[in-house]
Amino acid sequence: MSAKDSMAKEYFADNARFADLCNNVLYGGREVILPENLKERNTTEVLTALGLDKKTIAVQKLRDIFKNASIKYTGKSYVVLIGVENQSDIHYSIPVKNMFYDVMAYGNQVKETAKKHRKEKDTATSDEFLSGFTKEDKLIPVITITVYLGTKEWDGPRRLSDMFGDVDEELLPFIPDYRINLLAPREITDFTGFRTSIRQLFEVLQNAYDKEKMQEVLQNDEKFSNVDRETVEAINLFAGTDIDIDEKEEVIDMCKAWEEQKNEGREEGRELGERQKIISLIVKKLQKDKSVAEIADDLEEKEEVIAPIYEAALSMKPDYDVEKIYELLEKNKKLA
């Protein structure tokens, strides 16, 4: 399992974040699913079937996250099984993958119901006995949400029919379709419905491709001044940022950390520019056949400072590429 897979599973398994995610995808941000009404379920789906050789075949799949949700809404109570599949990359067969998970979840419900009936011997007809399911038995609905944690636009299929080639239009009504429930950060138009810090994660993922937009988001949303450590770690991993995290702090001011990082970058840029300027001056004097001592005297620098640059420049003769000379000096510094 990759670092991104592990991080995503651990991050969204938290009931508060899981509920926030589900409420935004399923209820438009209304707080319907509550963290305390979520119960962890076994993420391993095992479905058995009888093969052509009459032997039992077992198929096993491991979901990312799977929870039982008890929902009280509009004066009624409901139970739903909700799975979350995290994708750090675009998956071009995701409808088939998710459909398989859902079918296995329904198949397991039928299997457990049939087992119960066999044990209690309470089926009333031969049809019910053969089905393992009675007219009164009901399935618990299964919903799978795909969370895309990449920074690119999602260009993968959104339903099974997107994966078909040319199909006779007259046949389409007879072909079951399957639609994925996709949350892609670049497609979110309103973040106000999010109540946990997954809002900050998705906002950064939406704008990670553009540093100016990222700066604007960090400056305009005060919530970035108080972000939990786990979310900052997730942002660093999925968005490719390098926000400094103090090991002693559980809450990070991302606005401040981002600004400090920018300032460090400017300082490094200035240092690089000054270093390359010195290299360029030494190269010009070297081309006039001046010695280390003469160059040191001209630039009012110590000979031990000029000498390694002089030697590195000589090795790049006759091109004297300033950037390559700098890279060689940095490499030699690391080897020293």
Side-chain angles (χ1 to χ4, degrees), residues 104-116:
M104 292 182 76
Y106 286 125
N108 281 329
Q109 290 184 57
V110 172
K111 184 178 70 174
E112 290 302 314
T113 301
K115 188 188 296 183
K116 177 176 174 290

Side-chain angles (χ1 to χ4, degrees), residues 3-4 6-8 10-11 17 149 197 200-201 204-205 227-252 254:
K4 287 185 176 180
S6 298
M7 167 72 81
E10 184 177 342
Y11 185 77
R17 296 188 190 115
L149 296 166
S197 53
Q200 282 72 55
L201 171 62
V204 170
L205 288 174
V227 185
D228 65 273
R229 179 194 190 84
E230 289 180 345
T231 297
V232 178
E233 289 174 348
I235 287 172
N236 278 344
L237 184 61
F238 294 113
T241 54
D242 190 24
I243 303 296
D244 188 47
I245 301 174
D246 191 320
E247 294 296 323
K248 298 176 183 178
E249 293 183 3
E250 290 302 318
V251 175
I252 289 89
M254 275 193 65

